[in-house]
Amino acid sequence: MKPIQVGLLGIGTVGGGTFTVLKRNQEEIQRRAGRGIAIAMVAARNVERARALVGNDAVVVDDPFQVVNHPQIEIVVEVIGGTTLAKDLVMQAIANGKHVVTANKALLAEHGNEVFAAAHAKGVMVAFEGAVAVSIPIIKALREGLSGNRIEWVAGIINGTTNFILTEMRDKGLSFDAALAQAQALGYAEADPSFDIEGFDAAHKATILAAIAFGVPVQFKRAHVEGITKLAAADIAYGFQLGYRIKLLGIAKRTAHGIELRVHPTLIPVKRLLANVEGSMNGIMVKSDAAGITMYYGAGAGSEQTASAVIADLVDVTRLHTADAAQRVPHLAFQPDAMSDLPILPMADVVTSYYLRLRVADQTGVLATVTGILADAGISIDAVLQREADEVGGAEANQTDLIILTHDCAEARMDAALARMQALATVLQPIVRIRKEELA
Ligand code: HSE
């Protein structure tokens, strides 16, 4: 049988890796797919460079619309990224009745509902394993492997750049800027690294994970997003003394009232496997009722690592493209007419435990006042650590750091208590609050 004809939009890091791995492993891939998979057309900004890479194997054009409109192309692989041109191309490919494979998390997190609705109406597949934690088949695990379960939560280190930065800061004592520069040099960071360090990349991925875990539409705008730029080295060190590591987690959790969807620095017990996912690696924990806790680990970025996911999608689409559309795995795991309207909860309703650091005057009664405010708010204390005042030294010799770990409470309750503590004359700096998850 003639190989299925693929059009590749973009032949940079991911597109180039896809071309190379598909060629290298073509025999095994064909044995799995039941048919050859051929990249027949490539759209590239730099046509000469693309031709040098693909040789005579594919036609290279500079207009990506030529690819999505070409009658011979059956699957379009979109790896150019972004949410403008990429969206137009994907929508056009779908309108033309072509299947789409994409690694574009921003596109799906922000416009996925529109994309999936169009694909459903047209009876085509949109496959996106490469959009989340590339080398880890987490989309397939959640959507198919765990389909007998009621999923309770998903918590993941799903941005390699920030995990690399946090690891370097802790292990080597590097400054934030030095660690970021290294991450960029190693090619982990997005073109605009603020996407990584401000948490948006992780939030795009968490949004997609929440949708397939709970069968809700993608709702990126409702995600709470906090990055790592305000983290102080002191908190990484205090957290460690208390048995925790700080990771940027993407969390999607089902509660009786709705879904928590949040990305923020999080203390997690050092004994959890997830706390030991280091450097640029990704790790995802899923808690479901029957399987219990499952854990997934692997590279979250990279040329061939992303190609691995893109090609797995190509194999799936090749196997299933002749199947009745109703028999295929639904895009968001649940049938489109069986989606849930569980709301995404506002942060005020999120329940979690906390690490607090207060720089206070080293005076009698300060600790009692602070703990009294927490008690008034009904917030239970788990542990208290007070730094020796003489460690602070110099002009700050009469100050000390008070570190408090709390048990679970609603964020609104904590916000109110923090406002009262911050107003005390003996609290000398803005209070640091970092959320904590036991992940038990
Ligand atoms: N910039 C991303 C990361 C790449 O650091 O994980 C993959 O999405």
Side-chain angles (χ1 to χ4, degrees), residues 2 7 44 68 71 81 86 124 126 190 202 217 220 229 302 343 405 437:
K2 186 176 169 225
V68 299
V124 296
V126 175
E190 296 296 304
F220 172 67
T229 51
L405 300 184
E437 293 286 339

Side-chain angles (χ1 to χ4, degrees), residues 272-296:
R272 299 270 175 269
L273 281 176
L274 199 59
N276 296 283
V277 170
E278 299 284 47
S280 65
M281 299 304 278
N282 282 197
I284 303 171
M285 282 174 91
V286 181
K287 172 90 188 294
S288 46
D289 66 341
I293 285 184
T294 51
M295 163 101 194
Y296 310 82

Side-chain angles (χ1 to χ4, degrees), residues 286-342:
V286 181
K287 172 90 188 294
S288 46
D289 66 341
I293 285 184
T294 51
M295 163 101 194
Y296 310 82
Y297 173 84
S303 170
E304 295 207 356
Q305 291 84 349
T306 313
S308 163
V310 168
I311 296 170
D313 280 343
L314 282 172
V315 170
D316 265 359
V317 174
T318 303
R319 285 173 180 151
L320 292 171
H321 80 293
T322 51
D324 179 346
Q327 307 305 321
R328 297 183 192 137
V329 182
H331 293 114
L332 290 178
F334 293 72
Q335 298 295 341
D337 60 358
M339 296 294 279
S340 161
D341 58 3
L342 257 185

Side-chain angles (χ1 to χ4, degrees), residues 90-114:
V90 164
M91 295 304 279
Q92 180 76 25
I94 293 169
N96 287 339
K98 300 183 193 310
H99 305 287
V100 172
V101 172
T102 177
N104 191 333
K105 57 244 160 175
L107 173 66
L108 296 181
E110 294 179 29
H111 304 288
N113 301 325
E114 189 186 340

Side-chain angles (χ1 to χ4, degrees), residues 426-439:
T426 46
V427 172
L428 306 172
Q429 290 179 7
I431 300 171
V432 173
R433 166 248 302 265
I434 304 176
R435 299 172 189 91
K436 178 165 87 62
E437 293 286 339
E438 291 298 323
L439 302 174

Side-chain angles (χ1 to χ4, degrees), residues 74-297:
E74 297 166 275
I75 310 174
V76 169
V77 174
E78 182 278 305
V79 285
I80 57 175
T83 53
T84 49
L85 176 62
K87 183 180 174 212
D88 293 344
L89 290 164
V90 164
M91 295 304 279
Q92 180 76 25
I94 293 169
N96 287 339
K98 300 183 193 310
H99 305 287
V100 172
V101 172
T102 177
N104 191 333
K105 57 244 160 175
L107 173 66
L108 296 181
E110 294 179 29
H111 304 288
N113 301 325
E114 189 186 340
V115 170
F116 296 132
H120 182 64
K122 222 35 195 171
V124 296
M125 288 171 269
V126 175
F128 52 95
E129 189 65 69
V132 184
V134 299
S135 74
I136 306 173
I138 188 64
I139 302 297
K140 204 161 198 80
L142 279 174
R143 199 164 60 176
E144 297 172 52
L146 295 173
S147 59
N149 288 258
R150 182 177 162 86
I151 292 171
E152 293 171 22
W153 51 258
V154 181
I157 295 168
I158 43 181
N159 181 268
T161 302
T162 45
N163 204 41
F164 177 84
I165 291 172
L166 292 175
T167 305
E168 293 291 290
M169 285 173 74
R170 200 196 62 236
D171 278 1
K172 302 193 183 144
L174 286 190
S175 69
F176 176 84
D177 289 339
L180 171 61
Q182 272 206 28
Q184 286 177 295
L186 290 165
Y188 305 141
E190 296 296 304
D192 174 357
S194 65
F195 261 68
D196 296 299
I197 59 181
E198 300 294 357
F200 293 107
D201 177 75
H204 283 144
K205 296 167 186 167
T207 299
I208 296 170
L209 293 178
I212 57 172
F214 307 123
V216 295
V218 287
Q219 295 168 75
F220 172 67
K221 285 206 171 81
R222 311 215 57 189
H224 173 83
V225 190
E226 242 178 87
I228 62 166
T229 51
K230 296 196 183 79
L231 264 188
D235 297 308
I236 296 177
Y238 286 139
F240 193 67
Q241 279 182 44
L242 289 158
Y244 292 87
R245 282 198 180 144
I246 299 181
K247 296 290 185 184
L248 185 72
L249 284 196
I251 298 171
K253 190 184 282 184
R254 187 205 299 264
T255 77
H257 312 290
I259 290 166
E260 297 179 3
L261 176 54
R262 47 193 168 101
V263 170
H264 50 69
T266 314
L267 270 83
I268 50 181
V270 85
K271 62 187 175 199
R272 299 270 175 269
L273 281 176
L274 199 59
N276 296 283
V277 170
E278 299 284 47
S280 65
M281 299 304 278
N282 282 197
I284 303 171
M285 282 174 91
V286 181
K287 172 90 188 294
S288 46
D289 66 341
I293 285 184
T294 51
M295 163 101 194
Y296 310 82
Y297 173 84

Side-chain angles (χ1 to χ4, degrees), residues 226 230-246 264-268 352-359 370 374 379-387 401-409 411 414 418 421 430-438:
E226 242 178 87
K230 296 196 183 79
L231 264 188
D235 297 308
I236 296 177
Y238 286 139
F240 193 67
Q241 279 182 44
L242 289 158
Y244 292 87
R245 282 198 180 144
I246 299 181
H264 50 69
T266 314
L267 270 83
I268 50 181
T352 186
S353 55
Y354 293 87
Y355 160 102
L356 307 176
R357 175 165 60 86
L358 296 83
R359 172 58 63 90
V370 166
L374 289 170
I379 299 171
S380 167
I381 293 171
D382 181 29
V384 178
L385 174 74
Q386 183 171 336
R387 191 178 171 187
D401 276 339
L402 210 55
I403 291 97
I404 300 174
L405 300 184
T406 76
H407 289 295
D408 279 353
C409 71
E411 181 119 343
M414 179 54 81
L418 283 174
M421 289 188 249
I431 300 171
V432 173
R433 166 248 302 265
I434 304 176
R435 299 172 189 91
K436 178 165 87 62
E437 293 286 339
E438 291 298 323

